[in-house]
Amino acid sequence: MKKSKVETAQTRDRIVKTAAAEFRRNGIHASGLNDVMAAAGLTHGGFYRHFDSKDQLLAEACAVGGEAFAEMIESAASAGDGKNSLQAIVEAYLSPKHRDDREGCCPVVSLGSELARADEATRAIATEGFLDLVDFVAKRFPRTKPEVAKAKAIVVLCAMMGAVTMSRVVVDPDLSDEILLQMKKHLTGG
Amino acid sequence: MKKSKVETAQTRDRIVKTAAAEFRRNGIHASGLNDVMAAAGLTHGGFYRHFDSKDQLLAEACAVGGEAFAEMIESAASAGDGKNSLQAIVEAYLSPKHRDDREGCCPVVSLGSELARADEATRAIATEGFLDLVDFVAKRFPRTKPEVAKAKAIVVLCAMMGAVTMSRVVVDPDLSDEILLQMKKHLTGG
DNA sequence: TGTACATCAGTGAACGCGCGTTCACTGATGTAC
DNA sequence: TGTACATCAGTGAACGCGCGTTCACTGATGTAC
């Protein structure tokens, strides 16, 4: 049953990507390794050929999930023209599509309160992902001092994270939409 | 072993209050009924004399935790004078004290991403708690149309929730403080 | 008011189940000669 | 290049453990007479 090196690496990648989706969909605690491995088309026994522990998988899944989400945001930014790329980011982040995308969304939205209790390695990776996003958003404030741009980016990102999280908690669909809309108006100076 | 009606009601209250703290400290999934009952000074077997299920306890714990947190915010608001009560709320919510208070904090901060996956009853209670806070904060915008004040309150609350959540995720204490500080400056027009 | 009995809050053991993790086994791959 | 052997990815059963939930039992409380 031994697989080629290429195949082994592909399997490992598939497990991490599957975990990144499963964790975001169901939460960290609620996603069993059995679920993740089955969703990746494998049995659970082989897990420890690739990883030391569930915590290690979580850390790697956070890295991959964060990068994938950053790419989504970056492509949304480049869809808007140079001047309006901040608005394009805000509209993508605060869209009902993002709110309803349980597998591909921002990891902080789907896992925020669980990440706050995760081990240091995972939180360090989440911190890096956040800072990468902060840098990217900060560039949308040209002719602004770097520290000020960074501060603005932190505010915009955290505000959006809170809004999408809350839009998922409330039961009233109209209220959920309103939360996204009001935050969008606020952040785009409407 | 039967207890008096008063004692029974007190026990029930104690379980709910203990659960409200345990859930916020450790998360919903990570808090076992055994943990909650032991923390309330009881054995786990008696749980079902008071509640139908863990989900029911969660819903009631959300209600109690939300009310207790609202009272904290209201007392913070009345500590500042009438004009600056909004600023007092923002400063209390975005304080390191609130970030570091794992048991008494805002339920959305400690449980947000888990609440988003909770059952309808719990999310309905969380929605009520949120709307109560929105109404309370909206009153800090006098001489403003009710719809506009409500919109502003939604924005302020969600932005603060996101900031405190993120401040708990990041590993760098300076960055954590900066997140709180920048959001405070932003919301108080600094 | 005093007595007999039903109620039921709380205990502690047990239920089935799924968790994270381990392990003997398999057989195709990669390596050594 | 061809053959013999070591490696190890993946399987499936098993480990101990804790989960949510159930239940027989207890004894003090509340109730009926």
Side-chain angles (χ1 to χ4, degrees):
Chain A
M1 279 269 185
K2 183 173 178 180
K3 297 300 175 68
S4 71
K5 285 187 179 178
V6 171
E7 217 172 342
T8 299
Q10 285 173 341
T11 299
R12 203 193 134 96
D13 279 1
R14 196 169 76 248
I15 295 170
V16 174
K17 275 179 187 145
T18 305
E22 286 285 309
F23 285 149
R24 278 180 284 182
R25 173 176 288 286
N26 302 318
I28 297 167
H29 263 85
S31 297
L33 292 181
N34 197 9
D35 302 328
V36 172
M37 292 297 277
L42 296 161
T43 55
H44 64 283
F47 177 78
Y48 292 89
R49 294 279 165 203
H50 296 284
F51 307 95
D52 289 337
S53 64
K54 187 184 181 182
D55 281 342
Q56 192 198 341
L57 176 64
L58 171 61
E60 297 198 27
C62 265
V64 162
E67 282 159 26
F69 177 71
E71 278 169 30
M72 211 178 82
I73 287 296
E74 284 164 26
S75 88
S78 58
D81 64 43
K83 262 195 177 175
N84 293 328
S85 66
L86 175 67
Q87 180 154 350
I89 291 168
V90 169
E91 282 178 3
Y93 200 112
L94 295 174
S95 66
K97 181 161 169 276
H98 181 214
R99 175 196 61 200
D100 298 336
D101 180 6
R102 302 285 163 150
E103 292 188 355
C105 63
C106 174
V108 178
V109 169
S110 54
L111 303 175
S113 51
E114 286 188 281
L115 284 178
R117 293 181 203 95
D119 65 22
E120 182 120 0
T122 297
R123 287 167 54 234
I125 283 173
T127 304
E128 272 184 61
F130 176 66
L131 287 176
D132 287 347
L133 267 185
V134 166
D135 283 346
F136 182 77
V137 171
K139 286 184 200 140
R140 308 309 119 185
F141 300 102
R143 290 182 297 283
T144 305
K145 276 196 216 166
E147 317 91 71
V148 175
K150 185 187 174 191
K152 286 188 178 191
I154 286 173
V155 165
V156 168
L157 281 166
C158 289
M160 294 194 300
M161 287 167 178
V164 179
T165 298
M166 199 64 226
S167 79
R168 289 180 174 197
V169 171
V170 299
V171 284
D172 176 0
D174 294 336
L175 176 58
S176 180
D177 289 345
E178 194 190 351
I179 290 167
L180 299 179
L181 180 69
Q182 296 300 346
M183 187 59 85
K184 190 176 81 180
K185 279 167 121 178
H186 174 72
L187 294 178
T188 57
Chain B
M1 278 272 185
K2 182 173 180 182
K3 297 300 174 68
S4 72
K5 285 188 179 177
V6 170
E7 217 171 343
T8 299
Q10 284 172 342
T11 299
R12 203 193 135 96
D13 279 1
R14 197 169 73 248
I15 295 170
V16 174
K17 274 179 189 146
T18 305
E22 286 285 309
F23 285 148
R24 278 180 285 182
R25 173 176 289 285
N26 302 318
I28 298 167
H29 263 87
S31 297
L33 292 182
N34 196 9
D35 302 328
V36 172
M37 293 297 277
L42 296 161
T43 54
H44 64 282
F47 177 79
Y48 292 89
R49 293 281 166 201
H50 295 285
F51 307 96
D52 289 338
S53 65
K54 186 183 181 182
D55 280 342
Q56 192 198 340
L57 175 64
L58 171 61
E60 296 198 26
C62 265
V64 163
E67 281 161 25
F69 177 72
E71 278 169 29
M72 212 178 81
I73 287 296
E74 285 164 25
S75 87
S78 58
D81 65 41
K83 261 194 177 173
N84 293 327
S85 65
L86 175 67
Q87 180 154 350
I89 291 168
V90 170
E91 282 178 3
Y93 200 112
L94 294 174
S95 66
K97 182 163 169 275
H98 180 213
R99 175 195 61 200
D100 298 335
D101 181 5
R102 303 285 163 149
E103 292 189 353
C105 62
C106 174
V108 177
V109 169
S110 55
L111 303 175
S113 51
E114 286 189 280
L115 283 178
R117 294 180 202 97
D119 65 22
E120 183 121 0
T122 296
R123 288 168 54 234
I125 284 174
T127 304
E128 272 184 60
F130 176 67
L131 287 175
D132 286 347
L133 268 185
V134 166
D135 283 346
F136 182 77
V137 171
K139 286 184 200 139
R140 308 310 118 185
F141 300 102
R143 290 182 297 283
T144 305
K145 275 196 214 163
E147 317 91 70
V148 175
K150 185 188 174 190
K152 287 187 177 191
I154 287 173
V155 165
V156 168
L157 281 166
C158 289
M160 295 195 298
M161 287 167 179
V164 179
T165 298
M166 199 64 226
S167 79
R168 289 181 173 196
V169 171
V170 300
V171 284
D172 176 359
D174 293 338
L175 176 58
S176 180
D177 288 344
E178 195 189 350
I179 290 167
L180 298 178
L181 180 68
Q182 297 301 347
M183 187 59 85
K184 189 177 82 180
K185 280 167 121 177
H186 174 73
L187 294 178
T188 56

